[in-house]
Amino acid sequence: MFTSDGIVGIERLRAKIPYELQAWYKFGSIVDLHFFFDIDDYGQDIRCLDITLTDSENRYKIILHLKNVCGKVSFEPYNGFYSGLDIEDLIDNGYEKTKRFHFYSYEMDNDTNVYCEKIIAELV
């Protein structure tokens, strides 16, 4: 479910997307993926990942901006994340700031395992 209040813009997703689609695994189709470098508040280079996802019927598109990422991105291009995508907020587990969110897939043949400092969600 869209449970993490730490994701910027999650309230808008909850308000605009029907309740039965409010789960990350419902948005397994990748429309666009963009990896780039940005500069944080301290002038340091950080790695960022923008992912545009859609539900199986292409009714809703969500852009996720992942800031200060590390880890592994791996998926099957034809099927995207299948139905195994999830995002976990690790703030209560004592993880350091740069590893607050865990963006991953629990599908057997999908090896995405990314940690990031911040996630901004947009409905397109």
Side-chain angles (χ1 to χ4, degrees):
M1 301 303 289
F2 294 161
T3 55
S4 176
D5 291 332
I7 296 175
V8 176
I10 197 73
E11 311 83 27
R12 183 159 188 257
L13 296 184
R14 289 179 188 147
K16 299 286 184 178
I17 295 176
Y19 182 76
E20 61 273 6
L21 288 177
Q22 290 186 19
W24 295 115
Y25 69 87
K26 299 282 188 172
F27 289 85
S29 299
I30 301 169
V31 177
D32 191 31
L33 180 86
H34 180 69
F35 176 78
F36 60 99
F37 285 90
D38 201 358
I39 298 174
D40 67 8
D41 297 338
Y42 304 106
Q44 303 286 329
D45 284 336
I46 58 170
R47 291 165 177 82
C48 299
L49 185 66
D50 286 354
I51 278 187
T52 305
L53 303 168
T54 187
D55 63 298
S56 61
E57 297 177 9
N58 291 323
R59 291 183 289 170
Y60 298 93
K61 286 185 184 174
I62 298 173
I63 299 176
L64 295 176
H65 305 280
L66 283 67
K67 304 290 184 178
N68 201 8
V69 299
C70 64
K72 183 176 182 182
V73 178
S74 173
F75 57 89
E76 206 271 277
Y78 181 74
N79 293 317
F81 293 113
Y82 305 105
S83 61
L85 179 64
D86 204 359
I87 299 173
E88 185 178 17
D89 190 344
L90 302 172
I91 195 163
D92 293 334
N93 297 349
Y95 280 67
E96 60 189 79
K97 177 183 169 190
T98 58
K99 306 241 187 320
R100 176 175 181 173
F101 294 101
H102 184 203
F103 180 94
Y104 65 99
S105 175
Y106 47 81
E107 292 287 339
M108 276 179 27
D109 50 355
N110 192 323
D111 205 13
T112 297
N113 198 23
V114 174
Y115 292 89
C116 64
E117 182 175 345
K118 182 177 184 178
I119 298 177
I120 301 168
E122 280 182 68
L123 188 62
V124 188

